Amino acid sequence: MPSIHELLLDSATIGILWEATLQTLYMVSVSLFLSVLLGAPLGVLLATSRRGELFEMPWFQVVVGPVVNAARSVPFIILAVAIIPFTRLVAGTSIGTTAAIVPLTVAAVPFLARIVEGAVREVDAGLVEAAQAMGARPLQVVFKVLLPEALPGLIHGITLALVAMIGYSAMVGAVGGGGLGDLGIRYGYQRFRPDVMIAVVVVLVALVQGLQTLGDWLARKADKRNIQ
């Protein structure tokens, strides 16, 4: 059992922990932005491209749907290793914090696409029909009806994706991605530093808890049913 003294972090280790936390936040925030940018339109199309729907493209469901499902089924650590050539092509390197953004984004896009699809499909079809009856064009229906009405579900889904990405960012440390996962492996596990391992776990739990609480609060604020 480690002694109390061994579990106390010195100032240098605290500095390294802080830097690793910032790296994790950088990776996750940029990846989330890119995955929302790419995954949200994909999810909207998946939700509105069946026969008789807003953007009728049955082929889109046949072609893109299985690709999204296949991408979601690949374990993240395998995905991160498998796309190393692509990561190197995009980022110029396969090691480091910036390089880790590539597999994080690739993993999150299909996940977010299905989340957006589910949230959009929950919107009452009567609202869409009413908007179309008043002459709204498809894009107007998306931005003025579907997305505003689906906002609470979208916030919940994005929060869920964000929490998952924090876990992924820890795993990407195993392949030199930097951040808290890399710190836990190199300083905690390989150097037999239980204090570092504990600190990394505490920070990860605090990040997840804080972001989940914030996401739940934003979803409640966006839910029109809570407006008196």
Side-chain angles (χ1 to χ4, degrees):
M1 290 290 294
S3 65
I4 296 296
H5 177 73
E6 291 173 324
L7 292 176
L8 295 177
L9 297 177
D10 54 38
S11 58
T13 305
I14 291 174
I16 295 173
L17 179 65
W18 174 248
E19 182 180 357
T21 302
L22 293 180
Q23 290 176 350
T24 294
L25 292 174
Y26 164 68
M27 284 189 290
V28 171
S29 59
V30 174
S31 301
L32 181 67
F33 173 77
L34 293 175
S35 57
V36 169
L37 195 65
L38 298 172
L42 182 59
V44 170
L45 285 176
L46 286 170
T48 59
S49 59
R50 293 177 181 174
R51 292 190 184 277
E53 292 183 333
L54 209 56
F55 301 98
E56 186 173 342
M57 295 183 296
W59 63 266
F60 191 83
Q61 296 286 334
V62 175
V63 175
V64 178
V67 174
V68 170
N69 292 336
R72 290 178 61 203
S73 66
V74 179
F76 176 73
I77 192 67
I78 296 176
L79 175 68
V81 173
I83 67 169
I84 282 177
F86 177 69
T87 300
R88 191 178 292 117
L89 177 66
V90 173
T93 179
S94 60
I95 299 174
T97 306
T98 299
I101 293 172
V102 178
L104 284 173
T105 302
V106 171
V109 166
F111 185 64
L112 267 167
R114 287 302 187 189
I115 286 174
V116 172
E117 179 190 9
V120 169
R121 287 197 181 279
E122 290 293 321
V123 176
D124 187 356
L127 296 174
V128 176
E129 294 172 0
Q132 289 177 310
M134 289 187 290
R137 294 190 296 270
L139 285 178
Q140 291 177 317
V141 174
V142 169
F143 287 104
K144 294 185 178 181
V145 178
L146 290 178
L147 293 182
E149 291 295 325
L151 188 57
L154 291 174
I155 294 175
H156 273 303
I158 290 173
T159 303
L160 180 63
L162 185 57
V163 169
M165 289 170 69
I166 290 175
Y168 291 163
S169 72
M171 282 188 278
V172 85
V175 290
L180 290 167
D182 182 57
L183 176 66
I185 292 171
R186 289 194 298 114
Y187 281 81
Y189 177 73
Q190 295 179 351
R191 299 187 185 185
F192 304 100
R193 291 283 304 273
D195 55 338
V196 175
M197 292 288 287
I198 293 172
V200 167
V201 171
V202 168
V203 172
L204 286 172
V205 170
L207 283 176
V208 169
Q209 185 63 43
L211 291 171
Q212 186 67 60
T213 301
L214 177 61
D216 291 343
W217 179 79
L218 290 174
R220 287 196 302 271
K221 286 291 185 181
D223 193 341
K224 295 179 180 178
R225 293 172 298 181
N226 293 330
I227 299 177
Q228 302 297 327

mmCIF file with all atom_site columns, all heavy atoms in Angstrom, residues 91-119:
data_model
loop_
_atom_site.group_PDB
_atom_site.id
_atom_site.type_symbol
_atom_site.label_atom_id
_atom_site.label_alt_id
_atom_site.label_comp_id
_atom_site.label_asym_id
_atom_site.label_entity_id
_atom_site.label_seq_id
_atom_site.pdbx_PDB_ins_code
_atom_site.Cartn_x
_atom_site.Cartn_y
_atom_site.Cartn_z
_atom_site.occupancy
_atom_site.B_iso_or_equiv
_atom_site.pdbx_formal_charge
_atom_site.auth_seq_id
_atom_site.auth_comp_id
_atom_site.auth_asym_id
_atom_site.auth_atom_id
_atom_site.pdbx_PDB_model_num
ATOM 1   N N   . ALA A 1 91  ? -3.152  15.422 -40.356 1.00 0.00 ? 91  ALA A N   1
ATOM 2   C CA  . ALA A 1 91  ? -2.475  16.222 -39.331 1.00 0.00 ? 91  ALA A CA  1
ATOM 3   C C   . ALA A 1 91  ? -0.970  16.341 -39.542 1.00 0.00 ? 91  ALA A C   1
ATOM 4   O O   . ALA A 1 91  ? -0.313  17.118 -38.841 1.00 0.00 ? 91  ALA A O   1
ATOM 5   C CB  . ALA A 1 91  ? -2.745  15.630 -37.954 1.00 0.00 ? 91  ALA A CB  1
ATOM 6   N N   . GLY A 1 92  ? -0.413  15.556 -40.459 1.00 0.00 ? 92  GLY A N   1
ATOM 7   C CA  . GLY A 1 92  ? 1.032   15.591 -40.686 1.00 0.00 ? 92  GLY A CA  1
ATOM 8   C C   . GLY A 1 92  ? 1.806   14.705 -39.747 1.00 0.00 ? 92  GLY A C   1
ATOM 9   O O   . GLY A 1 92  ? 3.013   14.545 -39.891 1.00 0.00 ? 92  GLY A O   1
ATOM 10  N N   . THR A 1 93  ? 1.126   14.139 -38.765 1.00 0.00 ? 93  THR A N   1
ATOM 11  C CA  . THR A 1 93  ? 1.741   13.240 -37.794 1.00 0.00 ? 93  THR A CA  1
ATOM 12  C C   . THR A 1 93  ? 0.641   12.359 -37.196 1.00 0.00 ? 93  THR A C   1
ATOM 13  O O   . THR A 1 93  ? -0.536  12.700 -37.272 1.00 0.00 ? 93  THR A O   1
ATOM 14  C CB  . THR A 1 93  ? 2.448   14.015 -36.673 1.00 0.00 ? 93  THR A CB  1
ATOM 15  O OG1 . THR A 1 93  ? 3.011   13.099 -35.730 1.00 0.00 ? 93  THR A OG1 1
ATOM 16  C CG2 . THR A 1 93  ? 1.489   14.930 -35.941 1.00 0.00 ? 93  THR A CG2 1
ATOM 17  N N   . SER A 1 94  ? 1.043   11.245 -36.636 1.00 0.00 ? 94  SER A N   1
ATOM 18  C CA  . SER A 1 94  ? 0.067   10.367 -35.989 1.00 0.00 ? 94  SER A CA  1
ATOM 19  C C   . SER A 1 94  ? 0.200   10.386 -34.477 1.00 0.00 ? 94  SER A C   1
ATOM 20  O O   . SER A 1 94  ? -0.493  9.651  -33.778 1.00 0.00 ? 94  SER A O   1
ATOM 21  C CB  . SER A 1 94  ? 0.245   8.924  -36.492 1.00 0.00 ? 94  SER A CB  1
ATOM 22  O OG  . SER A 1 94  ? 1.546   8.451  -36.190 1.00 0.00 ? 94  SER A OG  1
ATOM 23  N N   . ILE A 1 95  ? 1.105   11.242 -33.973 1.00 0.00 ? 95  ILE A N   1
ATOM 24  C CA  . ILE A 1 95  ? 1.355   11.320 -32.527 1.00 0.00 ? 95  ILE A CA  1
ATOM 25  C C   . ILE A 1 95  ? 1.135   12.750 -32.060 1.00 0.00 ? 95  ILE A C   1
ATOM 26  O O   . ILE A 1 95  ? 1.497   13.699 -32.740 1.00 0.00 ? 95  ILE A O   1
ATOM 27  C CB  . ILE A 1 95  ? 2.794   10.872 -32.197 1.00 0.00 ? 95  ILE A CB  1
ATOM 28  C CG1 . ILE A 1 95  ? 3.000   9.415  -32.624 1.00 0.00 ? 95  ILE A CG1 1
ATOM 29  C CG2 . ILE A 1 95  ? 3.084   11.015 -30.705 1.00 0.00 ? 95  ILE A CG2 1
ATOM 30  C CD1 . ILE A 1 95  ? 4.422   8.930  -32.465 1.00 0.00 ? 95  ILE A CD1 1
ATOM 31  N N   . GLY A 1 96  ? 0.540   12.895 -30.888 1.00 0.00 ? 96  GLY A N   1
ATOM 32  C CA  . GLY A 1 96  ? 0.354   14.216 -30.316 1.00 0.00 ? 96  GLY A CA  1
ATOM 33  C C   . GLY A 1 96  ? -1.107  14.599 -30.173 1.00 0.00 ? 96  GLY A C   1
ATOM 34  O O   . GLY A 1 96  ? -2.007  13.905 -30.657 1.00 0.00 ? 96  GLY A O   1
ATOM 35  N N   . THR A 1 97  ? -1.322  15.709 -29.517 1.00 0.00 ? 97  THR A N   1
ATOM 36  C CA  . THR A 1 97  ? -2.674  16.143 -29.194 1.00 0.00 ? 97  THR A CA  1
ATOM 37  C C   . THR A 1 97  ? -3.482  16.499 -30.431 1.00 0.00 ? 97  THR A C   1
ATOM 38  O O   . THR A 1 97  ? -4.645  16.107 -30.557 1.00 0.00 ? 97  THR A O   1
ATOM 39  C CB  . THR A 1 97  ? -2.608  17.355 -28.246 1.00 0.00 ? 97  THR A CB  1
ATOM 40  O OG1 . THR A 1 97  ? -1.804  17.033 -27.120 1.00 0.00 ? 97  THR A OG1 1
ATOM 41  C CG2 . THR A 1 97  ? -3.994  17.731 -27.764 1.00 0.00 ? 97  THR A CG2 1
ATOM 42  N N   . THR A 1 98  ? -2.866  17.233 -31.355 1.00 0.00 ? 98  THR A N   1
ATOM 43  C CA  . THR A 1 98  ? -3.586  17.621 -32.564 1.00 0.00 ? 98  THR A CA  1
ATOM 44  C C   . THR A 1 98  ? -3.931  16.405 -33.408 1.00 0.00 ? 98  THR A C   1
ATOM 45  O O   . THR A 1 98  ? -5.043  16.307 -33.963 1.00 0.00 ? 98  THR A O   1
ATOM 46  C CB  . THR A 1 98  ? -2.753  18.615 -33.386 1.00 0.00 ? 98  THR A CB  1
ATOM 47  O OG1 . THR A 1 98  ? -2.514  19.795 -32.593 1.00 0.00 ? 98  THR A OG1 1
ATOM 48  C CG2 . THR A 1 98  ? -3.484  19.024 -34.654 1.00 0.00 ? 98  THR A CG2 1
ATOM 49  N N   . ALA A 1 99  ? -3.010  15.468 -33.514 1.00 0.00 ? 99  ALA A N   1
ATOM 50  C CA  . ALA A 1 99  ? -3.270  14.249 -34.282 1.00 0.00 ? 99  ALA A CA  1
ATOM 51  C C   . ALA A 1 99  ? -4.426  13.448 -33.682 1.00 0.00 ? 99  ALA A C   1
ATOM 52  O O   . ALA A 1 99  ? -5.192  12.805 -34.404 1.00 0.00 ? 99  ALA A O   1
ATOM 53  C CB  . ALA A 1 99  ? -2.011  13.394 -34.346 1.00 0.00 ? 99  ALA A CB  1
ATOM 54  N N   . ALA A 1 100 ? -4.571  13.479 -32.368 1.00 0.00 ? 100 ALA A N   1
ATOM 55  C CA  . ALA A 1 100 ? -5.635  12.718 -31.710 1.00 0.00 ? 100 ALA A CA  1
ATOM 56  C C   . ALA A 1 100 ? -7.019  13.229 -32.074 1.00 0.00 ? 100 ALA A C   1
ATOM 57  O O   . ALA A 1 100 ? -8.012  12.499 -31.949 1.00 0.00 ? 100 ALA A O   1
ATOM 58  C CB  . ALA A 1 100 ? -5.447  12.779 -30.194 1.00 0.00 ? 100 ALA A CB  1
ATOM 59  N N   . ILE A 1 101 ? -7.104  14.470 -32.534 1.00 0.00 ? 101 ILE A N   1
ATOM 60  C CA  . ILE A 1 101 ? -8.393  15.039 -32.916 1.00 0.00 ? 101 ILE A CA  1
ATOM 61  C C   . ILE A 1 101 ? -9.004  14.259 -34.080 1.00 0.00 ? 101 ILE A C   1
ATOM 62  O O   . ILE A 1 101 ? -10.234 14.112 -34.160 1.00 0.00 ? 101 ILE A O   1
ATOM 63  C CB  . ILE A 1 101 ? -8.237  16.526 -33.276 1.00 0.00 ? 101 ILE A CB  1
ATOM 64  C CG1 . ILE A 1 101 ? -7.864  17.331 -32.018 1.00 0.00 ? 101 ILE A CG1 1
ATOM 65  C CG2 . ILE A 1 101 ? -9.499  17.086 -33.907 1.00 0.00 ? 101 ILE A CG2 1
ATOM 66  C CD1 . ILE A 1 101 ? -7.507  18.776 -32.300 1.00 0.00 ? 101 ILE A CD1 1
ATOM 67  N N   . VAL A 1 102 ? -8.162  13.745 -34.962 1.00 0.00 ? 102 VAL A N   1
ATOM 68  C CA  . VAL A 1 102 ? -8.666  13.049 -36.157 1.00 0.00 ? 102 VAL A CA  1
ATOM 69  C C   . VAL A 1 102 ? -9.457  11.794 -35.791 1.00 0.00 ? 102 VAL A C   1
ATOM 70  O O   . VAL A 1 102 ? -10.627 11.670 -36.173 1.00 0.00 ? 102 VAL A O   1
ATOM 71  C CB  . VAL A 1 102 ? -7.514  12.734 -37.128 1.00 0.00 ? 102 VAL A CB  1
ATOM 72  C CG1 . VAL A 1 102 ? -8.040  11.964 -38.339 1.00 0.00 ? 102 VAL A CG1 1
ATOM 73  C CG2 . VAL A 1 102 ? -6.827  14.014 -37.585 1.00 0.00 ? 102 VAL A CG2 1
ATOM 74  N N   . PRO A 1 103 ? -8.890  10.824 -35.050 1.00 0.00 ? 103 PRO A N   1
ATOM 75  C CA  . PRO A 1 103 ? -9.696  9.646  -34.690 1.00 0.00 ? 103 PRO A CA  1
ATOM 76  C C   . PRO A 1 103 ? -10.878 9.979  -33.788 1.00 0.00 ? 103 PRO A C   1
ATOM 77  O O   . PRO A 1 103 ? -11.932 9.344  -33.886 1.00 0.00 ? 103 PRO A O   1
ATOM 78  C CB  . PRO A 1 103 ? -8.699  8.718  -33.988 1.00 0.00 ? 103 PRO A CB  1
ATOM 79  C CG  . PRO A 1 103 ? -7.588  9.594  -33.549 1.00 0.00 ? 103 PRO A CG  1
ATOM 80  C CD  . PRO A 1 103 ? -7.500  10.670 -34.579 1.00 0.00 ? 103 PRO A CD  1
ATOM 81  N N   . LEU A 1 104 ? -10.719 10.976 -32.918 1.00 0.00 ? 104 LEU A N   1
ATOM 82  C CA  . LEU A 1 104 ? -11.849 11.370 -32.072 1.00 0.00 ? 104 LEU A CA  1
ATOM 83  C C   . LEU A 1 104 ? -13.014 11.872 -32.915 1.00 0.00 ? 104 LEU A C   1
ATOM 84  O O   . LEU A 1 104 ? -14.173 11.530 -32.668 1.00 0.00 ? 104 LEU A O   1
ATOM 85  C CB  . LEU A 1 104 ? -11.405 12.458 -31.093 1.00 0.00 ? 104 LEU A CB  1
ATOM 86  C CG  . LEU A 1 104 ? -10.574 12.018 -29.887 1.00 0.00 ? 104 LEU A CG  1
ATOM 87  C CD1 . LEU A 1 104 ? -10.063 13.238 -29.122 1.00 0.00 ? 104 LEU A CD1 1
ATOM 88  C CD2 . LEU A 1 104 ? -11.391 11.139 -28.960 1.00 0.00 ? 104 LEU A CD2 1
ATOM 89  N N   . THR A 1 105 ? -12.704 12.673 -33.922 1.00 0.00 ? 105 THR A N   1
ATOM 90  C CA  . THR A 1 105 ? -13.757 13.197 -34.793 1.00 0.00 ? 105 THR A CA  1
ATOM 91  C C   . THR A 1 105 ? -14.382 12.091 -35.634 1.00 0.00 ? 105 THR A C   1
ATOM 92  O O   . THR A 1 105 ? -15.610 12.012 -35.765 1.00 0.00 ? 105 THR A O   1
ATOM 93  C CB  . THR A 1 105 ? -13.185 14.289 -35.717 1.00 0.00 ? 105 THR A CB  1
ATOM 94  O OG1 . THR A 1 105 ? -12.605 15.332 -34.920 1.00 0.00 ? 105 THR A OG1 1
ATOM 95  C CG2 . THR A 1 105 ? -14.271 14.887 -36.604 1.00 0.00 ? 105 THR A CG2 1
ATOM 96  N N   . VAL A 1 106 ? -13.546 11.234 -36.196 1.00 0.00 ? 106 VAL A N   1
ATOM 97  C CA  . VAL A 1 106 ? -14.044 10.135 -37.028 1.00 0.00 ? 106 VAL A CA  1
ATOM 98  C C   . VAL A 1 106 ? -14.969 9.234  -36.212 1.00 0.00 ? 106 VAL A C   1
ATOM 99  O O   . VAL A 1 106 ? -16.000 8.755  -36.711 1.00 0.00 ? 106 VAL A O   1
ATOM 100 C CB  . VAL A 1 106 ? -12.874 9.329  -37.618 1.00 0.00 ? 106 VAL A CB  1
ATOM 101 C CG1 . VAL A 1 106 ? -13.375 8.056  -38.288 1.00 0.00 ? 106 VAL A CG1 1
ATOM 102 C CG2 . VAL A 1 106 ? -12.097 10.181 -38.615 1.00 0.00 ? 106 VAL A CG2 1
ATOM 103 N N   . ALA A 1 107 ? -14.622 8.993  -34.961 1.00 0.00 ? 107 ALA A N   1
ATOM 104 C CA  . ALA A 1 107 ? -15.460 8.141  -34.114 1.00 0.00 ? 107 ALA A CA  1
ATOM 105 C C   . ALA A 1 107 ? -16.753 8.831  -33.705 1.00 0.00 ? 107 ALA A C   1
ATOM 106 O O   . ALA A 1 107 ? -17.792 8.181  -33.551 1.00 0.00 ? 107 ALA A O   1
ATOM 107 C CB  . ALA A 1 107 ? -14.679 7.730  -32.864 1.00 0.00 ? 107 ALA A CB  1
ATOM 108 N N   . ALA A 1 108 ? -16.705 10.149 -33.522 1.00 0.00 ? 108 ALA A N   1
ATOM 109 C CA  . ALA A 1 108 ? -17.867 10.874 -33.000 1.00 0.00 ? 108 ALA A CA  1
ATOM 110 C C   . ALA A 1 108 ? -18.896 11.218 -34.069 1.00 0.00 ? 108 ALA A C   1
ATOM 111 O O   . ALA A 1 108 ? -20.083 11.344 -33.752 1.00 0.00 ? 108 ALA A O   1
ATOM 112 C CB  . ALA A 1 108 ? -17.413 12.151 -32.298 1.00 0.00 ? 108 ALA A CB  1
ATOM 113 N N   . VAL A 1 109 ? -18.470 11.382 -35.321 1.00 0.00 ? 109 VAL A N   1
ATOM 114 C CA  . VAL A 1 109 ? -19.409 11.803 -36.375 1.00 0.00 ? 109 VAL A CA  1
ATOM 115 C C   . VAL A 1 109 ? -20.577 10.831 -36.533 1.00 0.00 ? 109 VAL A C   1
ATOM 116 O O   . VAL A 1 109 ? -21.745 11.250 -36.491 1.00 0.00 ? 109 VAL A O   1
ATOM 117 C CB  . VAL A 1 109 ? -18.667 12.016 -37.708 1.00 0.00 ? 109 VAL A CB  1
ATOM 118 C CG1 . VAL A 1 109 ? -19.660 12.104 -38.872 1.00 0.00 ? 109 VAL A CG1 1
ATOM 119 C CG2 . VAL A 1 109 ? -17.834 13.289 -37.655 1.00 0.00 ? 109 VAL A CG2 1
ATOM 120 N N   . PRO A 1 110 ? -20.349 9.530  -36.724 1.00 0.00 ? 110 PRO A N   1
ATOM 121 C CA  . PRO A 1 110 ? -21.509 8.627  -36.852 1.00 0.00 ? 110 PRO A CA  1
ATOM 122 C C   . PRO A 1 110 ? -22.344 8.537  -35.581 1.00 0.00 ? 110 PRO A C   1
ATOM 123 O O   . PRO A 1 110 ? -23.565 8.381  -35.638 1.00 0.00 ? 110 PRO A O   1
ATOM 124 C CB  . PRO A 1 110 ? -20.869 7.271  -37.202 1.00 0.00 ? 110 PRO A CB  1
ATOM 125 C CG  . PRO A 1 110 ? -19.465 7.374  -36.734 1.00 0.00 ? 110 PRO A CG  1
ATOM 126 C CD  . PRO A 1 110 ? -19.082 8.806  -36.910 1.00 0.00 ? 110 PRO A CD  1
ATOM 127 N N   . PHE A 1 111 ? -21.678 8.637  -34.427 1.00 0.00 ? 111 PHE A N   1
ATOM 128 C CA  . PHE A 1 111 ? -22.386 8.614  -33.153 1.00 0.00 ? 111 PHE A CA  1
ATOM 129 C C   . PHE A 1 111 ? -23.339 9.800  -33.060 1.00 0.00 ? 111 PHE A C   1
ATOM 130 O O   . PHE A 1 111 ? -24.531 9.659  -32.723 1.00 0.00 ? 111 PHE A O   1
ATOM 131 C CB  . PHE A 1 111 ? -21.358 8.635  -32.026 1.00 0.00 ? 111 PHE A CB  1
ATOM 132 C CG  . PHE A 1 111 ? -21.949 8.483  -30.650 1.00 0.00 ? 111 PHE A CG  1
ATOM 133 C CD1 . PHE A 1 111 ? -22.607 7.321  -30.291 1.00 0.00 ? 111 PHE A CD1 1
ATOM 134 C CD2 . PHE A 1 111 ? -21.826 9.490  -29.713 1.00 0.00 ? 111 PHE A CD2 1
ATOM 135 C CE1 . PHE A 1 111 ? -23.146 7.165  -29.023 1.00 0.00 ? 111 PHE A CE1 1
ATOM 136 C CE2 . PHE A 1 111 ? -22.358 9.352  -28.439 1.00 0.00 ? 111 PHE A CE2 1
ATOM 137 C CZ  . PHE A 1 111 ? -23.016 8.181  -28.092 1.00 0.00 ? 111 PHE A CZ  1
ATOM 138 N N   . LEU A 1 112 ? -22.834 10.981 -33.394 1.00 0.00 ? 112 LEU A N   1
ATOM 139 C CA  . LEU A 1 112 ? -23.669 12.180 -33.341 1.00 0.00 ? 112 LEU A CA  1
ATOM 140 C C   . LEU A 1 112 ? -24.735 12.164 -34.425 1.00 0.00 ? 112 LEU A C   1
ATOM 141 O O   . LEU A 1 112 ? -25.848 12.674 -34.211 1.00 0.00 ? 112 LEU A O   1
ATOM 142 C CB  . LEU A 1 112 ? -22.787 13.425 -33.487 1.00 0.00 ? 112 LEU A CB  1
ATOM 143 C CG  . LEU A 1 112 ? -22.321 14.046 -32.176 1.00 0.00 ? 112 LEU A CG  1
ATOM 144 C CD1 . LEU A 1 112 ? -21.226 15.051 -32.418 1.00 0.00 ? 112 LEU A CD1 1
ATOM 145 C CD2 . LEU A 1 112 ? -23.476 14.715 -31.453 1.00 0.00 ? 112 LEU A CD2 1
ATOM 146 N N   . ALA A 1 113 ? -24.429 11.596 -35.571 1.00 0.00 ? 113 ALA A N   1
ATOM 147 C CA  . ALA A 1 113 ? -25.416 11.534 -36.641 1.00 0.00 ? 113 ALA A CA  1
ATOM 148 C C   . ALA A 1 113 ? -26.651 10.759 -36.192 1.00 0.00 ? 113 ALA A C   1
ATOM 149 O O   . ALA A 1 113 ? -27.792 11.175 -36.439 1.00 0.00 ? 113 ALA A O   1
ATOM 150 C CB  . ALA A 1 113 ? -24.798 10.886 -37.882 1.00 0.00 ? 113 ALA A CB  1
ATOM 151 N N   . ARG A 1 114 ? -26.442 9.638  -35.527 1.00 0.00 ? 114 ARG A N   1
ATOM 152 C CA  . ARG A 1 114 ? -27.577 8.850  -35.044 1.00 0.00 ? 114 ARG A CA  1
ATOM 153 C C   . ARG A 1 114 ? -28.308 9.570  -33.915 1.00 0.00 ? 114 ARG A C   1
ATOM 154 O O   . ARG A 1 114 ? -29.537 9.465  -33.782 1.00 0.00 ? 114 ARG A O   1
ATOM 155 C CB  . ARG A 1 114 ? -27.087 7.481  -34.570 1.00 0.00 ? 114 ARG A CB  1
ATOM 156 C CG  . ARG A 1 114 ? -26.692 6.535  -35.693 1.00 0.00 ? 114 ARG A CG  1
ATOM 157 C CD  . ARG A 1 114 ? -27.848 6.307  -36.655 1.00 0.00 ? 114 ARG A CD  1
ATOM 158 N NE  . ARG A 1 114 ? -27.537 5.269  -37.647 1.00 0.00 ? 114 ARG A NE  1
ATOM 159 C CZ  . ARG A 1 114 ? -28.287 5.000  -38.697 1.00 0.00 ? 114 ARG A CZ  1
ATOM 160 N NH1 . ARG A 1 114 ? -29.392 5.693  -38.921 1.00 0.00 ? 114 ARG A NH1 1
ATOM 161 N NH2 . ARG A 1 114 ? -27.936 4.049  -39.547 1.00 0.00 ? 114 ARG A NH2 1
ATOM 162 N N   . ILE A 1 115 ? -27.582 10.297 -33.084 1.00 0.00 ? 115 ILE A N   1
ATOM 163 C CA  . ILE A 1 115 ? -28.220 11.070 -32.021 1.00 0.00 ? 115 ILE A CA  1
ATOM 164 C C   . ILE A 1 115 ? -29.126 12.149 -32.617 1.00 0.00 ? 115 ILE A C   1
ATOM 165 O O   . ILE A 1 115 ? -30.275 12.331 -32.191 1.00 0.00 ? 115 ILE A O   1
ATOM 166 C CB  . ILE A 1 115 ? -27.149 11.696 -31.105 1.00 0.00 ? 115 ILE A CB  1
ATOM 167 C CG1 . ILE A 1 115 ? -26.525 10.626 -30.207 1.00 0.00 ? 115 ILE A CG1 1
ATOM 168 C CG2 . ILE A 1 115 ? -27.749 12.821 -30.257 1.00 0.00 ? 115 ILE A CG2 1
ATOM 169 C CD1 . ILE A 1 115 ? -25.368 11.116 -29.380 1.00 0.00 ? 115 ILE A CD1 1
ATOM 170 N N   . VAL A 1 116 ? -28.606 12.875 -33.607 1.00 0.00 ? 116 VAL A N   1
ATOM 171 C CA  . VAL A 1 116 ? -29.402 13.920 -34.256 1.00 0.00 ? 116 VAL A CA  1
ATOM 172 C C   . VAL A 1 116 ? -30.596 13.304 -34.968 1.00 0.00 ? 116 VAL A C   1
ATOM 173 O O   . VAL A 1 116 ? -31.719 13.837 -34.900 1.00 0.00 ? 116 VAL A O   1
ATOM 174 C CB  . VAL A 1 116 ? -28.525 14.715 -35.251 1.00 0.00 ? 116 VAL A CB  1
ATOM 175 C CG1 . VAL A 1 116 ? -29.387 15.681 -36.071 1.00 0.00 ? 116 VAL A CG1 1
ATOM 176 C CG2 . VAL A 1 116 ? -27.444 15.488 -34.498 1.00 0.00 ? 116 VAL A CG2 1
ATOM 177 N N   . GLU A 1 117 ? -30.383 12.189 -35.637 1.00 0.00 ? 117 GLU A N   1
ATOM 178 C CA  . GLU A 1 117 ? -31.488 11.517 -36.311 1.00 0.00 ? 117 GLU A CA  1
ATOM 179 C C   . GLU A 1 117 ? -32.602 11.165 -35.324 1.00 0.00 ? 117 GLU A C   1
ATOM 180 O O   . GLU A 1 117 ? -33.790 11.425 -35.584 1.00 0.00 ? 117 GLU A O   1
ATOM 181 C CB  . GLU A 1 117 ? -30.989 10.242 -36.989 1.00 0.00 ? 117 GLU A CB  1
ATOM 182 C CG  . GLU A 1 117 ? -32.091 9.471  -37.698 1.00 0.00 ? 117 GLU A CG  1
ATOM 183 C CD  . GLU A 1 117 ? -31.661 8.100  -38.173 1.00 0.00 ? 117 GLU A CD  1
ATOM 184 O OE1 . GLU A 1 117 ? -30.551 7.664  -37.804 1.00 0.00 ? 117 GLU A OE1 1
ATOM 185 O OE2 . GLU A 1 117 ? -32.436 7.463  -38.915 1.00 0.00 ? 117 GLU A OE2 1
ATOM 186 N N   . GLY A 1 118 ? -32.230 10.590 -34.194 1.00 0.00 ? 118 GLY A N   1
ATOM 187 C CA  . GLY A 1 118 ? -33.236 10.211 -33.203 1.00 0.00 ? 118 GLY A CA  1
ATOM 188 C C   . GLY A 1 118 ? -33.976 11.407 -32.645 1.00 0.00 ? 118 GLY A C   1
ATOM 189 O O   . GLY A 1 118 ? -35.213 11.360 -32.468 1.00 0.00 ? 118 GLY A O   1
ATOM 190 N N   . ALA A 1 119 ? -33.243 12.488 -32.354 1.00 0.00 ? 119 ALA A N   1
ATOM 191 C CA  . ALA A 1 119 ? -33.885 13.688 -31.800 1.00 0.00 ? 119 ALA A CA  1
ATOM 192 C C   . ALA A 1 119 ? -34.840 14.314 -32.805 1.00 0.00 ? 119 ALA A C   1
ATOM 193 O O   . ALA A 1 119 ? -35.947 14.755 -32.449 1.00 0.00 ? 119 ALA A O   1
ATOM 194 C CB  . ALA A 1 119 ? -32.824 14.693 -31.367 1.00 0.00 ? 119 ALA A CB  1
#
